[in-house]
Amino acid sequence: MAYIVLRLGIDINSKTTTGIVMNRDGSILHVAKSPTQEDFLAGLSEVIKEITAPDKSCTSIGEVIIGTDYFANLVEKGERLSKVCSIRIGQAKNTIPPLYGASDLIQKAIEVTPFQLYGGHEMDGRSSLQPARHDLETFLETIREEGIDSFTITGAFSLVNPAHENIVEQWIREIVGDDCTVTKSHMLGSIGFLERENSSIFNAALSKTILRSVEGLQDLMHQNGLHAKIYFTQNDGSLLGYESALQYPIRTCGSRISNSFRGASLLTGLNDCVIVDICQSKASIGALERGFPKEKRRNMKMAGVPVSLQMSDVTNLTISEDRTANDDNLDAIYHAIQRFQPRFEPLPIVFVGDGSDRIFPSFKYPWSDVLHPAEFENVSAIGACIAQVSGAVDRIYWVDEEDRDKTIQIAKEEAIQAAIAEGASPKTVFVQRVEINPIAYMPTKAIRIKVKAIGTLDFQHRR
């Protein structure tokens, strides 16, 4: 039997769609580019047609991996977003409305319709009050004429016990129909109620958009002789299965820059460094830690709204697009780099991105190496090609001191199994990070455990 040994990594930014074909040894075989268009598939179609041309010999592509900021840009611009009904499950009404602090642009684009359903759980997972289906049914009848078909459910302490979110989803589908989309907060966010709700609302607002945007993608591939598995990359630069991406488009919003950082690591052989990605008028500065983008620990925001999502810690600057760097640009980039440099032994600095060639020659940093690798303009597509599989757990556990180690081991195993479920080869999965934090405003039995496991999706799949 023949083995499939190639990957097609695709980077879609606001200007250019780039495709890279790479073999399992990490060698780049082909590069294709096309202008990005408003239609998500238009530029992608041109790249796939060029890659699969008879003279390219790329019929043995096993995975197509897409990284894009397309959906993130729609959120920032408030474009093509669905109306959302946000259902809160709890014992008391929260006086802070959904998407509190969002701009008028975002508020008008999503038009959140809120509803309070009494129910929820205590911090130890015990049910405090059973939600009433009749209350939900009555409310949904009042908004039927508004045509809302995207819903979010955010329950109190649903990360400890998601039962009420699950039953309310079932009721919504029975009442409204299976054509609606439902985002449950425990599948996306962390412990903060409002941040989980905001993340879920943004996801729901994109849920119909991504379905429309990728409609015809599989047919497009088949028409060009590609019978490969489709993946997207997510905010931490790891793989997200095609069906998972359709359910959770919000997880793709930070993927481009994470892909860029991972690609820079491959091109330079560095696992710890500061990355400066220049794309048109935007400079994104962050760091690699042990080969992976440094993760933002707090104050995550999207379109200026607090969210609870895995996101790379990145400083974004607006710079001029002049062909020669000016002092203001260089000074701003220098100060952003300093935020990621350790106090002693400064890290190497790597410039990448299609606009980096206009900044790199003028940038001086005498305390460490400043690098500008070949293929700098294709770094995000390269990062997509080498994306690994991740599994994560971020949950509150209610444990006695004597059961603490056992609970941590359970969380590790859950993260490992989550990575395997996403397609990681079991032999390659390892626990990359474990964080254990007591919850300050809860009794001492409550601890928050965050675990991330990483594994490799094999290049070889039998046909």
Side-chain angles (χ1 to χ4, degrees), residues 198-258:
N198 292 339
S199 303
S200 301
I201 290 170
F202 282 134
N203 189 75
L206 286 170
S207 57
K208 293 293 184 179
T209 304
I210 191 171
L211 292 173
R212 291 190 294 265
S213 298
V214 303
E215 185 178 2
L217 174 58
Q218 291 174 315
D219 290 340
L220 169 65
M221 289 174 51
H222 293 162
Q223 290 165 9
N224 288 278
L226 279 181
H227 300 279
K229 294 191 71 172
I230 304 172
Y231 295 88
F232 280 75
T233 54
Q234 55 185 329
N235 300 339
D236 63 354
S238 63
L239 290 172
L240 186 65
Y242 182 66
E243 293 300 326
S244 294
L246 298 186
Q247 283 185 284
Y248 307 112
I250 198 72
R251 288 182 173 170
T252 71
C253 287
S255 64
R256 270 207 73 251
I257 197 64
S258 295

Coordinates of all heavy atoms in Angstrom, one line a residue, residues 198-258:
N198 N -18.8 35.8 27.2 CA -18.4 36.6 26.0 C -17.8 35.7 24.9 O -18.0 35.9 23.7 CB -17.4 37.7 26.5 CG -18.0 38.7 27.3 OD1 -19.2 38.9 27.3 ND2 -17.2 39.4 28.1
S199 N -16.9 34.8 25.4 CA -16.3 33.9 24.4 C -17.3 33.1 23.6 O -17.3 32.9 22.4 CB -15.3 32.9 25.1 OG -14.4 33.5 25.9
S200 N -18.4 32.6 24.4 CA -19.4 31.8 23.7 C -20.2 32.7 22.8 O -20.6 32.2 21.7 CB -20.3 31.3 24.8 OG -19.6 30.4 25.7
I201 N -20.5 33.9 23.1 CA -21.2 34.8 22.2 C -20.5 35.1 20.9 O -21.1 35.0 19.8 CB -21.6 36.1 23.0 CG1 -22.6 35.9 24.1 CG2 -22.1 37.2 22.0 CD1 -22.8 37.1 25.0
F202 N -19.2 35.4 21.0 CA -18.4 35.6 19.8 C -18.4 34.3 18.9 O -18.5 34.4 17.7 CB -17.0 36.0 20.1 CG -16.8 37.4 20.5 CD1 -16.1 37.8 21.6 CD2 -17.4 38.4 19.8 CE1 -15.9 39.1 22.0 CE2 -17.3 39.8 20.1 CZ -16.5 40.1 21.2
N203 N -18.3 33.2 19.6 CA -18.3 31.9 18.9 C -19.7 31.7 18.1 O -19.7 31.3 17.0 CB -18.1 30.7 19.8 CG -17.9 29.4 19.1 OD1 -16.8 29.2 18.5 ND2 -18.9 28.6 19.1
A204 N -20.8 31.9 18.9 CA -22.1 31.8 18.3 C -22.3 32.8 17.1 O -22.9 32.4 16.1 CB -23.2 32.0 19.3
A205 N -21.8 34.0 17.3 CA -21.9 35.0 16.2 C -21.2 34.6 14.9 O -21.6 35.0 13.8 CB -21.4 36.3 16.7
L206 N -20.2 33.7 15.1 CA -19.4 33.3 13.9 C -19.9 31.9 13.4 O -19.5 31.5 12.3 CB -17.9 33.1 14.3 CG -17.1 34.4 14.4 CD1 -15.7 34.1 15.0 CD2 -17.0 35.1 13.0
S207 N -20.7 31.2 14.1 CA -21.0 29.8 13.8 C -21.7 29.6 12.5 O -21.4 28.6 11.8 CB -21.9 29.2 15.0 OG -23.1 30.0 15.1
K208 N -22.6 30.5 12.1 CA -23.2 30.4 10.8 C -22.3 30.9 9.7 O -22.3 30.4 8.6 CB -24.5 31.2 10.8 CG -25.6 30.7 11.6 CD -26.1 29.3 11.1 CE -27.3 28.8 11.9 NZ -27.8 27.5 11.4
T209 N -21.5 31.9 10.0 CA -20.5 32.5 9.1 C -19.5 31.5 8.6 O -19.3 31.4 7.4 CB -19.8 33.7 9.7 OG1 -20.7 34.6 10.2 CG2 -18.9 34.4 8.7
I210 N -19.0 30.7 9.5 CA -18.0 29.7 9.1 C -18.6 28.7 8.2 O -18.0 28.2 7.2 CB -17.2 29.1 10.3 CG1 -16.0 28.3 9.7 CG2 -18.1 28.3 11.1 CD1 -15.0 27.9 10.8
L211 N -19.8 28.3 8.5 CA -20.5 27.3 7.7 C -20.7 27.8 6.2 O -20.5 27.0 5.3 CB -21.9 26.9 8.3 CG -21.8 26.1 9.6 CD1 -23.2 26.0 10.2 CD2 -21.2 24.8 9.5
R212 N -21.1 29.0 6.1 CA -21.3 29.6 4.8 C -19.9 29.8 4.1 O -19.8 29.6 2.9 CB -22.0 31.0 4.9 CG -23.4 30.9 5.3 CD -24.1 32.2 5.1 NE -23.6 33.2 6.0 CZ -24.1 33.5 7.2 NH1 -25.2 32.8 7.6 NH2 -23.6 34.4 8.0
S213 N -18.9 30.1 4.8 CA -17.6 30.5 4.2 C -16.9 29.2 3.7 O -16.3 29.3 2.6 CB -16.7 31.1 5.3 OG -17.2 32.3 5.7
V214 N -17.0 28.1 4.3 CA -16.3 26.9 3.9 C -17.2 26.0 3.1 O -16.8 24.9 2.7 CB -15.7 26.1 5.1 CG1 -14.8 27.0 5.9 CG2 -16.8 25.5 6.0
E215 N -18.5 26.4 2.8 CA -19.3 25.5 2.0 C -18.7 25.3 0.6 O -18.4 26.2 -0.1 CB -20.7 26.2 1.9 CG -21.7 25.3 1.2 CD -23.1 26.0 1.1 OE1 -23.2 27.1 1.6 OE2 -24.0 25.4 0.6
G216 N -18.5 24.1 0.3 CA -17.9 23.7 -1.0 C -16.5 23.4 -0.9 O -15.8 23.1 -1.9
L217 N -15.8 23.6 0.3 CA -14.4 23.3 0.4 C -14.0 21.9 0.1 O -13.1 21.6 -0.7 CB -13.9 23.7 1.8 CG -12.5 23.4 2.1 CD1 -11.5 24.1 1.2 CD2 -12.2 23.7 3.6
Q218 N -14.8 21.0 0.6 CA -14.5 19.6 0.3 C -14.7 19.2 -1.1 O -13.9 18.5 -1.7 CB -15.3 18.7 1.2 CG -14.9 18.8 2.7 CD -15.9 18.0 3.6 OE1 -17.1 18.1 3.5 NE2 -15.3 17.3 4.6
D219 N -15.7 19.8 -1.7 CA -15.9 19.5 -3.2 C -14.8 20.1 -4.0 O -14.3 19.5 -5.0 CB -17.3 20.2 -3.6 CG -18.5 19.4 -3.1 OD1 -18.3 18.2 -2.7 OD2 -19.6 20.0 -3.1
L220 N -14.3 21.3 -3.6 CA -13.2 22.0 -4.3 C -12.0 21.1 -4.2 O -11.3 20.9 -5.3 CB -12.9 23.3 -3.6 CG -11.6 24.0 -4.0 CD1 -11.7 24.5 -5.5 CD2 -11.4 25.2 -3.1
M221 N -11.7 20.5 -3.1 CA -10.5 19.6 -3.0 C -10.7 18.4 -3.9 O -9.8 18.0 -4.6 CB -10.3 19.3 -1.5 CG -9.8 20.4 -0.7 SD -9.7 20.0 1.1 CE -8.8 18.5 1.1
H222 N -11.9 17.8 -3.8 CA -12.1 16.5 -4.6 C -12.0 16.8 -6.1 O -11.4 16.0 -6.8 CB -13.4 16.0 -4.2 CG -13.5 15.4 -2.8 ND1 -14.7 15.2 -2.2 CD2 -12.5 15.1 -1.9 CE1 -14.5 14.8 -1.0 NE2 -13.2 14.7 -0.8
Q223 N -12.5 18.0 -6.5 CA -12.4 18.3 -7.9 C -11.0 18.5 -8.4 O -10.7 18.3 -9.6 CB -13.2 19.6 -8.2 CG -14.7 19.5 -8.1 CD -15.4 20.8 -7.9 OE1 -14.8 21.9 -8.1 NE2 -16.7 20.8 -7.6
N224 N -10.1 18.8 -7.5 CA -8.7 19.0 -7.8 C -7.8 17.8 -7.4 O -6.6 17.9 -7.3 CB -8.1 20.2 -7.2 CG -8.7 21.5 -7.9 OD1 -8.2 21.9 -8.9 ND2 -9.7 22.1 -7.3
G225 N -8.5 16.6 -7.2 CA -7.8 15.4 -6.9 C -7.2 15.3 -5.5 O -6.4 14.4 -5.3
L226 N -7.7 16.1 -4.6 CA -7.2 16.0 -3.2 C -8.3 15.3 -2.3 O -9.4 15.7 -2.2 CB -7.0 17.4 -2.6 CG -5.7 18.2 -2.9 CD1 -5.7 19.5 -2.2 CD2 -4.5 17.4 -2.5
H227 N -7.8 14.2 -1.8 CA -8.7 13.4 -0.9 C -8.0 13.4 0.5 O -7.7 12.3 1.0 CB -9.0 12.0 -1.5 CG -9.6 12.1 -2.8 ND1 -11.0 12.3 -3.0 CD2 -9.1 12.0 -4.0 CE1 -11.3 12.3 -4.2 NE2 -10.2 12.2 -4.9
A228 N -7.8 14.5 1.0 CA -7.1 14.7 2.3 C -8.0 15.1 3.4 O -9.1 15.6 3.2 CB -6.0 15.7 2.1
K229 N -7.5 14.9 4.6 CA -8.2 15.4 5.8 C -8.0 16.9 6.0 O -6.9 17.4 5.7 CB -7.7 14.6 7.1 CG -8.1 13.1 7.1 CD -7.8 12.5 8.5 CE -8.9 13.0 9.5 NZ -8.8 12.3 10.8
I230 N -9.0 17.6 6.4 CA -8.9 19.0 6.5 C -8.8 19.4 8.0 O -9.6 18.8 8.8 CB -10.2 19.7 5.9 CG1 -10.3 19.3 4.5 CG2 -10.0 21.2 6.1 CD1 -11.6 19.8 3.9
Y231 N -7.9 20.2 8.3 CA -7.7 20.8 9.7 C -7.6 22.3 9.6 O -7.2 22.9 8.6 CB -6.4 20.2 10.3 CG -6.4 18.7 10.6 CD1 -6.0 17.9 9.6 CD2 -6.8 18.2 11.8 CE1 -5.9 16.5 9.8 CE2 -6.8 16.8 12.0 CZ -6.4 16.0 11.0 OH -6.3 14.6 11.2
F232 N -8.0 22.9 10.7 CA -7.6 24.3 10.9 C -6.6 24.3 12.0 O -6.4 23.4 12.8 CB -8.8 25.1 11.3 CG -9.7 25.6 10.2 CD1 -10.5 24.6 9.5 CD2 -9.7 26.9 9.7 CE1 -11.4 25.0 8.5 CE2 -10.5 27.2 8.6 CZ -11.3 26.3 8.0
T233 N -5.9 25.4 12.2 CA -5.0 25.6 13.3 C -5.8 26.5 14.3 O -6.6 27.4 13.9 CB -3.7 26.2 13.0 OG1 -3.8 27.4 12.3 CG2 -2.8 25.2 12.2
Q234 N -5.5 26.3 15.6 CA -6.2 27.1 16.6 C -5.3 28.1 17.3 O -4.1 28.2 16.9 CB -6.9 26.2 17.6 CG -6.1 25.2 18.3 CD -6.9 24.3 19.2 OE1 -7.9 24.7 19.7 NE2 -6.5 23.0 19.3
N235 N -5.8 28.8 18.3 CA -5.1 30.0 18.8 C -3.7 29.7 19.4 O -2.9 30.6 19.5 CB -6.0 30.6 19.9 CG -7.3 31.0 19.4 OD1 -7.5 31.2 18.2 ND2 -8.3 31.2 20.3
D236 N -3.5 28.4 19.8 CA -2.1 28.1 20.3 C -1.2 27.5 19.3 O -0.1 27.1 19.6 CB -2.2 27.2 21.5 CG -2.9 25.8 21.2 OD1 -3.3 25.7 20.0 OD2 -2.9 25.0 22.1
G237 N -1.7 27.5 18.0 CA -0.8 26.9 16.9 C -1.0 25.4 16.8 O -0.3 24.9 15.9
S238 N -1.9 24.8 17.5 CA -2.1 23.4 17.3 C -3.2 23.1 16.4 O -4.0 24.0 16.0 CB -2.3 22.7 18.7 OG -3.5 23.2 19.3
L239 N -3.4 21.8 16.1 CA -4.4 21.4 15.1 C -5.8 21.4 15.7 O -6.0 21.1 16.9 CB -4.1 20.0 14.5 CG -2.9 19.9 13.6 CD1 -2.6 18.5 13.3 CD2 -3.1 20.7 12.3
L240 N -6.8 21.8 14.9 CA -8.2 21.7 15.2 C -8.9 21.0 14.1 O -8.8 21.4 12.9 CB -8.8 23.1 15.4 CG -10.2 23.2 15.9 CD1 -10.3 22.7 17.3 CD2 -10.6 24.7 15.8
G241 N -9.5 19.8 14.4 CA -10.2 19.1 13.4 C -11.3 19.9 12.7 O -11.8 20.8 13.2
Y242 N -11.6 19.5 11.4 CA -12.5 20.3 10.6 C -13.9 20.4 11.3 O -14.4 21.5 11.4 CB -12.6 19.6 9.2 CG -13.5 20.3 8.3 CD1 -13.2 21.5 7.7 CD2 -14.7 19.7 7.8 CE1 -14.0 22.2 6.8 CE2 -15.6 20.4 6.9 CZ -15.2 21.6 6.4 OH -16.0 22.2 5.5
E243 N -14.4 19.4 11.8 CA -15.7 19.4 12.4 C -15.7 20.3 13.7 O -16.6 21.0 14.0 CB -16.3 18.0 12.7 CG -16.6 17.2 11.5 CD -17.6 17.8 10.6 OE1 -18.5 18.5 11.2 OE2 -17.6 17.7 9.4
S244 N -14.6 20.2 14.4 CA -14.4 21.0 15.6 C -14.3 22.5 15.3 O -14.8 23.3 16.0 CB -13.1 20.6 16.4 OG -13.3 19.3 16.9
A245 N -13.6 22.8 14.1 CA -13.5 24.2 13.7 C -14.9 24.8 13.3 O -15.2 25.9 13.6 CB -12.6 24.3 12.5
L246 N -15.8 23.9 12.7 CA -17.1 24.4 12.4 C -17.9 24.7 13.7 O -18.8 25.6 13.7 CB -17.8 23.3 11.5 CG -17.2 23.0 10.2 CD1 -18.1 22.1 9.4 CD2 -16.9 24.3 9.4
Q247 N -17.7 23.9 14.7 CA -18.4 24.1 16.0 C -17.8 25.3 16.8 O -18.6 26.0 17.4 CB -18.3 22.8 16.8 CG -19.2 21.7 16.4 CD -19.1 20.6 17.4 OE1 -18.2 19.8 17.4 NE2 -20.1 20.5 18.3
Y248 N -16.5 25.4 16.7 CA -15.8 26.4 17.5 C -14.9 27.3 16.7 O -13.7 27.3 16.9 CB -15.0 25.7 18.6 CG -15.8 24.8 19.4 CD1 -15.6 23.4 19.4 CD2 -16.9 25.2 20.3 CE1 -16.4 22.5 20.1 CE2 -17.6 24.3 21.0 CZ -17.4 22.9 20.9 OH -18.1 22.1 21.6
P249 N -15.5 28.1 15.8 CA -14.7 29.0 15.0 C -13.8 30.0 15.8 O -12.8 30.5 15.3 CB -15.7 29.7 14.1 CG -17.0 29.6 14.8 CD -16.9 28.3 15.5
I250 N -14.3 30.4 17.0 CA -13.6 31.3 17.8 C -12.1 30.8 18.1 O -11.2 31.6 18.3 CB -14.3 31.6 19.1 CG1 -13.8 32.9 19.8 CG2 -14.3 30.4 20.1 CD1 -14.2 34.1 19.0
R251 N -12.0 29.5 18.1 CA -10.6 28.9 18.4 C -9.6 29.2 17.3 O -8.4 28.9 17.5 CB -10.8 27.4 18.7 CG -11.4 27.1 20.0 CD -11.5 25.6 20.2 NE -12.0 25.3 21.6 CZ -12.3 24.1 22.0 NH1 -12.2 23.1 21.1 NH2 -12.8 23.9 23.2
T252 N -10.1 29.6 16.1 CA -9.1 29.9 15.0 C -8.6 31.3 15.0 O -7.7 31.6 14.2 CB -9.8 29.6 13.6 OG1 -10.8 30.6 13.4 CG2 -10.5 28.2 13.6
C253 N -9.2 32.2 15.8 CA -9.0 33.6 15.6 C -7.6 34.1 15.9 O -7.1 35.1 15.3 CB -10.0 34.4 16.5 SG -11.7 34.3 15.8
G254 N -6.8 33.4 16.7 CA -5.4 33.8 17.0 C -4.4 32.9 16.3 O -3.2 32.9 16.7
S255 N -4.9 32.1 15.3 CA -4.0 31.0 14.8 C -2.9 31.5 13.9 O -1.8 30.9 13.9 CB -4.8 30.0 14.1 OG -5.4 30.5 12.9
R256 N -3.1 32.5 13.2 CA -2.1 33.0 12.2 C -0.8 33.3 12.9 O 0.3 32.9 12.4 CB -2.6 34.2 11.4 CG -3.3 33.9 10.1 CD -3.2 35.0 9.1 NE -1.8 35.0 8.5 CZ -0.9 35.9 8.8 NH1 -1.1 36.9 9.6 NH2 0.3 35.8 8.2
I257 N -0.9 34.1 13.9 CA 0.3 34.6 14.5 C 1.0 33.4 15.3 O 2.3 33.4 15.3 CB 0.1 35.8 15.5 CG1 1.4 36.5 15.8 CG2 -0.7 35.4 16.7 CD1 2.0 37.2 14.6
S258 N 0.3 32.5 15.8 CA 0.9 31.3 16.5 C 1.6 30.5 15.5 O 2.6 29.9 15.7 CB -0.2 30.5 17.2 OG -0.7 31.3 18.3

